Amino acid sequence: RVVAVIMVGGPTKGTRFRPLSLNVPKPLFPLAGQPMVHHPISACRRVSRQFPPSFVSWIPSLQIPNLAQIYLIGFYEEREFALYVSSISNELRIPVRYLREDKPHGSAGGLYSFRDYIMEDSPSHIVLLNCDVCSSFPLPDMLEAHKKYGGMGTLLVNKVSAESANQFGELVADPDTNELLHYTEKPETFVSDLINCGVYIFTPNIFNAIEDVLKQKKDRANLRRVSSFEALQSATKALPADFVRLDQDILSPLAGKKELYTYQTLDFWEQIKTPGMSLRCSGLYLSQFRRTSPHLLASGDGKRTATIVGDVYIHPSAKVHPTSKIGPNVSISANARVGAGARLINCIILDDVEIMENAVVIHSIVGWKSSIGKWSRVQAIHLGEGDHNAKLGITILGEAVDVEDEVVVVNSIVLPNKTLNVSVQEEIIL
Ligand code: GDD
């Protein structure tokens, strides 16, 4: 049996995701019309598919032969996840539960603090996922590889450009055996362009490894108490003794000990730390839908539907005028209204937004209950390769922003509850 755990973090994380994380916990922000965390959850469900999908749908009880539970572990308030976990449990017919840490324990410490829940079903394997990564999550293949390697853990890894590698855990793997030989978290000097994707499969022995680290930390803290100078030093610098990071505290010391192995993804993978990345990842998931769930994509082939270009998601409750033109990479959430002649390209339109006649939205995220007036433009301008406005790259309107008629908003971030009656460019409106 397999138990899946998704680390969702908490409100102190995700500050780079503002202003979008002011309304909704980052893991519930919609990508391709589904909460961010929905995508790894769907991938976990695929672990349980031992039978061809057509066969499974005939006998629904066969859908969960393998996957016992999915836990989301975080330090957000419970009520923020309550509705989502109950609806997704019903939809997938797999128990999904939110477990709240009283304070952050680090990625491995958080896992460890709920070991009794996780071990309740005596799983042979634990799938552990960061919620803020976008991937096809090739879990069934990874699980097969993990069983062959015979180690305690297998990490999903990916090749990235040498310039961007230092934002991640960099690692070296044996090209023949795939054993993890060396691991450094976000190093200052370049080690490798092979990086940790934040997707793991472990045997329950991971809990022994975390326990060992906790013991060492406690021993060290006791030793320090002996010297008052060191005690002062550690009080100002050290993390709490029950704070364990999976990367620095577990992966680094266990590399090269035949305990950890790697599985390289050749499919898409991105990290989602900023709103700009969420827009890109929304597009990646929409194009994945073309292969996995084409029924979720707008077809635009009826006479009364808008012109659809490329991959587009439109929530069934949204009202989109037939003379509007939408796509590619557009996701329109519940109760949004798009007026006649409007043009939408590469954008996320959140719940209850109104886009009036002939407005244009390009490379943007439009926050809940915002409205964009007639003939207005909300967009980002990419100034060509290399000169691409790295700082913004997109325009973001927070919740309940009103852009009046004929106003142009370019490469800007607008915080919630603002009214724009003049055009702005490259501004952050506080
Ligand atoms: N529940 C809980 N409690 N979750 C946590 C905690 C905690 O105390 N700390 C972090 N997380 C969650 C975050 O929400 C995120 O999903 C995941 O754990 C990892 O977060 P960080 O520890 O902040 O690391 P990171 O995202 O900067 O980098 C990690 O992921 C990269 C891939 O996206 C590292 O593992 C890198 O090596 C890796 O490349």
Side-chain angles (χ1 to χ4, degrees):
R1 302 202 95 188
V2 175
V3 166
V5 178
I6 305 178
M7 301 306 285
V8 297
T12 56
K13 301 254 161 188
T15 47
R16 274 185 282 170
F17 212 69
R18 282 184 191 155
L20 303 172
S21 54
L22 295 173
N23 291 68
V24 65
K26 178 176 137 178
L28 297 182
F29 184 80
L31 304 179
Q34 317 292 328
M36 185 182 293
V37 72
H38 178 88
H39 301 280
I41 288 179
S42 307
C44 291
R45 186 174 174 246
R46 288 196 287 275
V47 172
S48 66
R49 288 227 172 123
Q50 294 177 326
F51 305 95
S54 54
F55 184 65
V56 168
S57 59
W58 278 99
I59 310 169
S61 62
L62 282 182
Q63 284 193 355
I64 45 170
N66 235 343
L67 184 66
Q69 284 266 359
I70 301 177
Y71 291 109
L72 312 185
I73 298 183
F75 46 99
Y76 290 98
E77 294 289 335
E78 258 172 281
R79 62 182 158 76
E80 302 203 74
F81 280 84
L83 200 64
Y84 176 70
V85 293
S86 81
S87 74
I88 193 73
S89 300
N90 286 337
E91 190 188 318
L92 300 185
R93 279 185 256 116
I94 293 177
V96 181
R97 243 178 111 175
Y98 177 70
L99 300 174
R100 180 173 188 260
E101 289 171 85
D102 50 349
K103 58 170 189 180
H105 292 89
S107 39
L111 182 75
Y112 185 79
S113 54
F114 292 107
R115 62 195 177 285
D116 293 345
Y117 287 91
I118 296 166
M119 291 310 295
E120 233 167 43
D121 293 287
S122 312
S124 55
H125 294 93
I126 299 157
V127 174
L128 179 69
L129 307 159
N130 290 2
C131 81
D132 58 356
V133 296
C134 165
S135 167
S136 59
F137 301 105
L139 299 175
D141 294 344
M142 224 180 131
L143 187 58
E144 279 310 301
H146 172 81
K147 287 179 185 165
K148 270 193 212 129
Y149 300 149
M152 183 185 75
T154 298
L155 292 64
L156 189 70
V157 303
N158 185 29
K159 258 197 195 303
V160 297
S161 69
E163 304 82 65
S164 66
N166 65 355
Q167 302 162 34
F168 309 103
E170 295 183 18
L171 55 99
V172 180
D174 185 309
D176 300 321
T177 64
N178 296 316
E179 190 200 337
L180 178 76
L181 298 177
H182 178 76
Y183 185 94
T184 322
E185 184 62 22
K186 305 186 182 97
E188 277 173 24
T189 49
F190 180 74
V191 175
S192 162
D193 57 0
L194 203 56
I195 61 113
N196 170 15
C197 293
V199 175
Y200 315 87
I201 292 179
F202 290 114
T203 65
N205 286 341
I206 183 66
F207 291 122
N208 303 335
I210 303 173
E211 206 161 287
D212 288 347
V213 172
L214 282 166
K215 261 194 211 127
Q216 287 163 19
K217 283 192 159 208
K218 239 190 215 154
D219 291 348
R220 249 180 276 143
N222 285 340
L223 263 179
R224 280 202 204 101
R225 243 171 253 139
V226 177
S227 144
S228 58
F229 173 69
E230 274 193 73
L232 190 68
Q233 259 195 333
S234 68
T236 48
K237 270 201 304 200
L239 293 163
D242 57 355
F243 193 94
V244 187
R245 298 156 302 184
L246 187 64
D247 26 50
Q248 284 105 312
D249 300 326
I250 306 284
L251 304 183
S252 288
L254 284 183
K257 298 203 170 129
K258 301 215 176 333
E259 295 274 20
L260 300 174
Y261 291 81
T262 60
Y263 180 87
Q264 188 172 347
T265 177
L266 301 173
D267 211 346
F268 66 92
W269 181 88
E270 297 285 353
Q271 194 185 40
I272 320 164
K273 294 288 184 198
T274 60
M277 281 314 295
S278 74
L279 182 53
R280 177 171 159 69
C281 293
S282 190
L284 289 170
Y285 282 135
L286 284 176
S287 59
Q288 190 190 28
F289 282 174
R290 201 155 278 289
R291 284 174 278 135
T292 61
S293 337
H295 62 281
L296 289 176
L297 294 174
S299 63
D301 50 10
K303 272 203 185 106
R304 295 216 204 156
T305 56
T307 304
I308 303 292
V309 185
D311 299 330
V312 170
Y313 169 84
I314 301 176
H315 189 275
S317 64
K319 289 202 169 55
V320 176
H321 197 276
T323 61
S324 61
K325 190 170 175 183
I326 319 274
N329 184 24
V330 172
S331 163
I332 300 177
S333 294
N335 303 315
R337 282 146 295 157
V338 178
R343 178 73 177 107
L344 274 54
I345 303 172
N346 192 33
C347 56
I348 297 177
I349 308 297
L350 294 164
D351 295 12
D352 304 304
V353 164
E354 173 148 36
I355 296 172
M356 297 189 200
E357 292 96 276
N358 303 306
V360 173
V361 183
I362 305 176
H363 309 313
S364 298
I365 299 177
V366 181
W368 308 262
K369 302 192 195 92
S370 288
S371 83
I372 299 177
K374 294 174 193 157
W375 297 100
S376 287
R377 295 181 74 92
V378 171
Q379 69 176 99
I381 298 175
H382 292 183
L383 303 166
E385 284 298 307
D387 197 20
H388 156 269
N389 186 343
K391 221 168 69 204
L392 297 182
I394 68 167
T395 281
I396 305 164
L397 306 187
E399 184 183 19
V401 169
D402 284 337
V403 175
E404 296 195 342
D405 293 351
E406 295 171 42
V407 166
V408 180
V409 185
V410 177
N411 292 3
S412 294
I413 297 177
V414 186
L415 265 73
N417 305 309
K418 303 283 163 208
T419 298
L420 293 184
N421 49 19
V422 290
S423 296
V424 292
Q425 179 159 354
E426 312 266 341
E427 283 195 47
I428 296 177
I429 316 270
L430 297 170

